Amino acid sequence: MIKIAIVDDNSFLIKTVQEKLSFFEDFSLKFTAVNGLDLIEKLEKNHNVDLILMDIEMPKMNGIEATNLVKQKHPQIKIIMLTVFDNDENIFKSIKAGADGYLLKEVNPKDLYQGIIETLNGGATMTPSIALKTLKLFRNPMAFDAVTNTEQYNLTAREIEVLEQLSKGLKYNAIAENLFLSVGTIRKHIENIYTKLQVHNKLEAIHKAKNNKLI
């Protein structure tokens, strides 16, 4: 029997996944958890699990953080992200955390079954649209770097936008007009950028941002 755990903060979605698994006799549901913290606590008591179906967006500890911790403590346990989110950042962070597969929650029972078997046999199952996005990320490694470096410097999406405008030589009032913000707000964003990048002027900020592929 294949021992499975389901982690999701939505009880209705847990039941939906259980129903999909119930079509197949070789699965045994060991337990369910409502968030990453709950999962870690349950694994400490019993980590006799072959595979975890992991949601991403959850309170207390999200699925990506939980994946990272599980893989550190129990690298033999396979993890498939089972989520409604297919954005590049979640895919990248999940792979980086050690996820073995990435499926969208709309997956049908047969594809879910095949995905689990494939993953346990050493493969990496992915919903076709996710596989395509992953290929694009690998073809453009700069996209990986951008996600990593933005995270490293903790810049917001708006601060990146302001940096891009700054790098084009635009004045504060022009940036404010382009982004539909006040000049005062732009000044505040630029102060925050300088602090986060640990620079003292516009030229240093642009230089550091380009070197770290933030823009």
Side-chain angles (χ1 to χ4, degrees):
M1 293 288 279
I2 297 165
K3 298 176 287 294
I4 289 179
I6 303 170
V7 189
D8 201 309
D9 61 328
N10 185 320
S11 58
F12 171 75
L13 291 173
I14 285 181
K15 280 178 187 157
T16 304
V17 177
Q18 280 180 268
E19 281 170 15
K20 288 177 182 180
L21 295 177
S22 69
F23 288 100
F24 311 99
E25 292 175 358
D26 41 357
F27 290 150
S28 162
L29 181 62
K30 290 297 285 183
F31 62 79
T32 63
V34 294
N35 57 55
L37 205 57
D38 188 25
L39 167 70
I40 299 301
E41 285 168 2
K42 285 178 175 170
L43 282 176
E44 277 174 11
K45 290 172 188 168
N46 182 6
H47 60 266
N48 185 19
V49 175
D50 297 311
L51 184 138
I52 298 167
L53 295 171
M54 182 87 76
D55 185 28
I56 289 183
E57 291 291 326
M58 295 181 288
K60 294 185 181 177
M61 184 189 289
N62 68 40
I64 292 166
E65 292 167 325
T67 296
N68 197 13
L69 277 178
V70 172
K71 285 295 184 179
Q72 283 177 36
K73 291 184 177 181
H74 314 288
Q76 79 284 0
I77 297 176
K78 302 288 186 182
I79 298 175
I80 295 176
M81 310 311 282
L82 193 59
T83 177
V84 293
F85 299 100
D86 67 346
N87 60 312
D88 291 357
E89 193 172 348
N90 277 331
I91 297 167
F92 168 74
K93 286 183 175 178
S94 297
I95 292 168
K96 196 176 169 190
D100 301 286
Y102 198 114
L103 297 173
L104 295 180
K105 281 181 178 169
E106 67 207 30
V107 65
N108 64 50
K110 184 186 167 195
D111 288 343
L112 178 59
Y113 174 81
Q114 286 178 340
I116 291 171
I117 300 301
E118 190 180 309
T119 302
L120 288 170
N121 287 333
T125 187
M126 286 189 181
T127 300
S129 61
I130 299 293
L132 189 62
K133 278 177 176 277
T134 307
L135 278 176
K136 283 179 182 172
L137 279 173
F138 276 111
R139 284 182 190 135
N140 180 16
M142 280 178 69
F144 273 85
D145 294 337
V147 173
T148 311
N149 290 324
T150 305
E151 193 179 70
Q152 180 188 333
Y153 291 108
N154 203 25
L155 291 174
T156 64
R158 179 62 88 189
E159 286 162 358
I160 295 287
E161 280 182 324
V162 171
L163 257 175
E164 283 171 345
Q165 300 266 328
L166 262 184
S167 72
K168 291 177 171 62
L170 297 175
K171 305 287 183 194
Y172 288 10
N173 57 350
I175 297 172
E177 202 173 301
N178 284 344
L179 300 180
F180 302 100
L181 297 169
S182 70
V183 173
T185 302
I186 296 299
R187 280 206 173 90
K188 187 66 189 162
H189 279 312
I190 290 168
E191 278 175 32
N192 290 339
I193 290 165
Y194 287 1
T195 304
K196 289 178 181 180
L197 292 181
Q198 297 177 323
V199 296
H200 304 97
N201 58 51
K202 184 173 75 173
L203 286 175
E204 283 181 19
I206 293 165
H207 182 69
K208 192 161 190 176
K210 283 184 175 174
N211 277 356
N212 286 281
K213 301 184 177 72
L214 293 169
I215 54 173

